[in-house]
Amino acid sequence: MQQFFIKNGLVVIGGAIQGLGMGLFLFPQSIPSGGAGGIAILLNYITGISMGPSLWIVNFSMLLLGVQILGKRFALWTFLGITMTSLSVDFFETHFTLVHRHVFLDLVIGSILLGTGIGILMRQGVSNGGVGVIAFMISTGRNILPGKPLFFLNAFIFLITAAIISWKIIFLALLSQWISTTMVDLICRLEIPQPYALSWRKKP
C-alpha cells in the first residue's frame, strides 16, 4: 500500500511538472511540447478548444492505442498522468501570466520542466500520453532509452503542424524537443532506488 501511494504521488508530481512547463512557458509562445502538444495546438487553431481539454483529448485517444499491448494497469496510471498534466496546463494558463517574457528563456525553462516531468513518469513505468505511448512501447520492446524514439515521432508531427500553422515554429519545437528528451534520458539514467522504478539500459 505504501508503494502504491508513493507511485501515485510521483505520477501526480510528474504530470504537474510537465503541465507547468507547457502551460506557463511553452504554450504561451506557441511552442509544441511534443507530438500531442502539436496536435493539440492544431485543434486549438482549427476549433478554438482551449489547450488543456485539447491536450487531454489527444492524449486519451493515443492511450487507447496502447491498452491492448501495454495492459490496463499501464493505461490507468497513464490516464492519471495525462489528466494531471491537462489540469496543470489549464491551471497555469488560466491563473498565471508572466509579464516580461523572452521566447528563448521560456523555451529552455519550459523544456527542462517538460523533460523532468516526463522522465519522472517514465521511471514509474507510466507514459506521458500522446506519442509518448508509442515511444514507450518502442523503448520497452527494444530495451533502449525512450528519448530518441520520442524525439523522432514528435519531429514528424512538428513538420505537419508547422506546414499548417507556421514554419517559424519548427526550429523552436525541435530545439525544445532536444532539450526535453535529453532531460528524459537523464532522469531515466539516475540511480535512485525507488519502488516500481524502471531500469533503462541500452543493449550492449
Side-chain angles (χ1 to χ4, degrees):
M1 186 61 68
Q2 182 181 9
Q3 292 178 340
F4 171 83
F5 284 114
I6 291 174
K7 179 170 181 174
N8 186 78
L10 288 171
V11 170
V12 169
I13 290 170
I17 293 174
Q18 182 183 195
L20 168 62
M22 296 157 72
L24 191 59
F25 296 100
L26 297 179
F27 286 166
Q29 298 285 7
S30 295
I31 302 172
S33 60
I39 298 173
I41 287 175
L42 282 176
L43 276 178
N44 173 260
Y45 179 78
I46 295 171
T47 67
I49 300 175
S50 60
M51 288 301 301
S54 294
L55 187 64
W56 190 90
I57 292 170
V58 174
N59 281 331
F60 184 73
S61 300
M62 292 286 185
L63 178 59
L64 294 178
L65 297 176
V67 172
Q68 296 298 321
I69 297 175
L70 297 170
K72 294 180 180 179
R73 180 174 296 181
F74 167 86
L76 288 172
W77 283 113
T78 299
F79 178 79
L80 173 62
I82 65 176
T83 299
M84 188 63 213
T85 298
S86 295
L87 289 173
S88 180
V89 168
D90 194 59
F91 175 78
F92 285 108
E93 276 193 329
T94 303
H95 299 288
F96 290 86
T97 302
L98 298 180
V99 178
H100 302 290
R101 309 195 70 106
H102 188 283
V103 63
F104 184 72
L105 287 177
D106 282 355
L107 184 149
V108 172
I109 296 171
S111 300
I112 290 174
L113 290 170
L114 172 66
T116 300
I118 294 174
I120 291 172
L121 292 174
M122 288 191 166
R123 279 192 70 99
Q124 299 306 310
V126 177
S127 168
N128 64 311
V131 297
V133 174
I134 301 173
F136 192 89
M137 289 190 287
I138 294 172
S139 63
T140 52
R142 304 183 68 176
N143 194 29
I144 59 175
L145 292 168
K148 186 175 291 186
L150 188 62
F151 177 85
F152 286 110
L153 287 168
N154 287 335
F156 175 72
I157 295 176
F158 292 157
L159 289 172
I160 298 174
T161 305
I164 295 175
I165 298 179
S166 171
W167 284 103
K168 295 179 181 179
I169 70 172
I170 190 66
F171 171 74
L172 297 177
L174 289 176
L175 180 57
S176 173
Q177 275 303 289
W178 179 79
I179 295 171
S180 62
T181 53
T182 299
M183 285 300 300
V184 170
D185 284 349
L186 177 63
I187 297 296
C188 287
R189 283 195 186 102
L190 287 177
E191 298 294 334
I192 304 175
Q194 57 177 318
Y196 294 98
L198 294 180
S199 177
W200 294 98
R201 295 184 297 105
K202 290 185 177 180
K203 291 182 177 179

